[in-house]
């Protein structure tokens, strides 16, 4: 069945880096735009970044531009989010989601990132 | 900076109807923003309800419907059920690859 599984979350100190992964299965990964969306504890959802089906186009929220890098490996059916210069305000559950008609279709279960000294 | 506004909370009786809205801090929402809607219960991933203004996602019951009402996008729940008690978020596509989530609405069914 269709599945998106995030991994790589954990506790990291401010200023350090972390890479999240999102492994896809059950559908043709290379046909889809994929997004990262996050949710800080007790807060609403925030769009983070999107990458086109072939990786040629990438867009970021202002809050992460210049610090986060979205990428994908279609041969491995995997999406990545390289997070650099992490801040306390980046603490959140990070979800990957497939794009569809300028919205989202399938969602992973999320990976918690905690930025704390 | 663009802010997408939603009502903080709504209460609806079982079997009743509630309409949630999604607006812009400046300007009007139209179909060109491709408004979409998501339901989320605590501790769970979001669930897609509506995309492109009014198209229901697969498996979503027809008591959920999307539309444009005046200058806002709207999500209407008709015949509310207990398990509709959730947080609801809209998303607008702002163009140039940028998306913005609304502030979210907490719906209580009682």
């Amino acid at each position: 069945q269709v599945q998106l599984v995030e991994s790589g979350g954990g506790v990291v100190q401010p200023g350090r880096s972390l890479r999240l992964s999102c492994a896809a299965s059950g559908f043709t990964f290379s046909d889809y735009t994929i997004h990262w969306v996050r949710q800080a504890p007790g807060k609403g959802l925030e769009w983070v970044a999107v990458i086109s089906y072939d990786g040629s186009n990438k867009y970021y929220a202002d809050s992460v531009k210049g610090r986060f890098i979205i990428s994908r490996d279609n041969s491995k059916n995997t999406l990545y989010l390289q997070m650099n210069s992490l801040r306390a305000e980046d603490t959140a559950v990070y979800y990957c989601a497939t794009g569809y008609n300028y919205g989202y279709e399938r969602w992973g279960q999320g990976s918690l990132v905690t930025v704390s000294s | 900076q663009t802010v997408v506004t939603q009502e903080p909370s709504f209460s609806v009786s079982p079997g009743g109807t509630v309409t949630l809205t999604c607006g812009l801090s400046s300007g009007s929402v139209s179909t060109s923003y491709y408004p979409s809607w998501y339901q989320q219960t605590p501790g769970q991933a979001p669930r897609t309800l509506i995309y492109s203004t009014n198209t229901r996602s697969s498996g979503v019951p027809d008591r959920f419907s999307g539309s444009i009402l005046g200058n806002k996008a709207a999500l209407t729940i008709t015949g509310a059920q207990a398990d509709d008690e959730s947080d609801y978020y809209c998303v607008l596509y702002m163009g140039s690859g940028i998306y913005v989530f609304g502030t979210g609405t907490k719906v209580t069914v009682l």
Side-chain angles (χ1 to χ4, degrees):
Chain A
Q1 82 268 22
V2 172
Q3 220 174 1
L4 294 168
V5 179
E6 300 91 341
S7 62
V11 180
V12 60
Q13 293 179 328
R16 303 298 290 264
S17 299
L18 198 66
R19 189 178 80 159
L20 299 181
S21 300
C22 169
S25 59
F27 65 101
T28 306
F29 180 74
S30 57
D31 283 351
Y32 286 84
T33 290
I34 311 286
H35 300 252
W36 285 103
V37 173
R38 69 184 180 182
Q39 186 169 37
K43 302 297 185 183
L45 297 167
E46 179 189 14
W47 174 76
V48 173
V50 60
I51 186 168
S52 60
Y53 70 99
D54 62 354
S56 61
N57 293 296
K58 306 172 185 181
Y59 302 95
Y60 301 90
D62 285 345
S63 57
V64 306
K65 196 177 297 182
R67 299 188 300 123
F68 288 13
I69 300 171
I70 189 171
S71 63
R72 66 191 297 163
D73 185 338
N74 285 346
S75 69
K76 296 182 178 178
N77 289 345
T78 303
L79 172 76
Y80 303 100
L81 186 66
Q82 178 67 42
M83 302 184 293
N84 302 321
S85 302
L86 282 162
R87 307 166 179 167
E89 55 264 36
D90 296 318
T91 294
V93 174
Y94 285 75
Y95 297 100
C96 57
T98 57
Y100 188 73
N101 277 16
Y102 299 96
Y104 316 110
E105 187 178 22
R106 307 175 179 100
W107 296 77
Q109 286 304 300
S111 182
L112 176 61
V113 173
T114 302
V115 183
S116 173
S117 54
Chain B
Q1 181 170 346
T2 300
V3 177
V4 178
T5 59
Q6 296 183 244
E7 298 87 357
S9 62
F10 256 121
S11 183
V12 59
S13 300
T17 296
V18 62
T19 296
L20 317 181
T21 68
C22 175
L24 283 169
S25 53
S26 60
S28 299
V29 177
S30 67
T31 56
S32 299
Y33 286 87
Y34 299 93
S36 53
W37 292 90
Y38 305 87
Q39 178 191 49
Q40 188 184 35
T41 53
Q44 299 296 314
R47 170 197 182 197
T48 301
L49 295 176
I50 301 284
Y51 57 88
S52 291
T53 305
N54 55 15
T55 304
R56 271 185 297 277
S57 186
S58 176
V60 173
D62 60 7
R63 66 176 185 275
F64 293 94
S65 61
S67 63
I68 299 291
L69 286 181
N71 61 351
K72 297 182 180 182
L75 174 72
T76 299
I77 308 173
T78 305
Q81 300 182 1
D83 61 3
D84 296 335
E85 187 162 294
S86 302
D87 295 323
Y88 292 84
Y89 296 91
C90 66
V91 172
L92 300 181
Y93 177 62
M94 308 307 289
S96 301
I98 303 300
Y99 296 75
V100 180
F101 274 89
T103 50
T105 298
K106 182 178 183 63
V107 171
T108 302
V109 180
L110 52 73

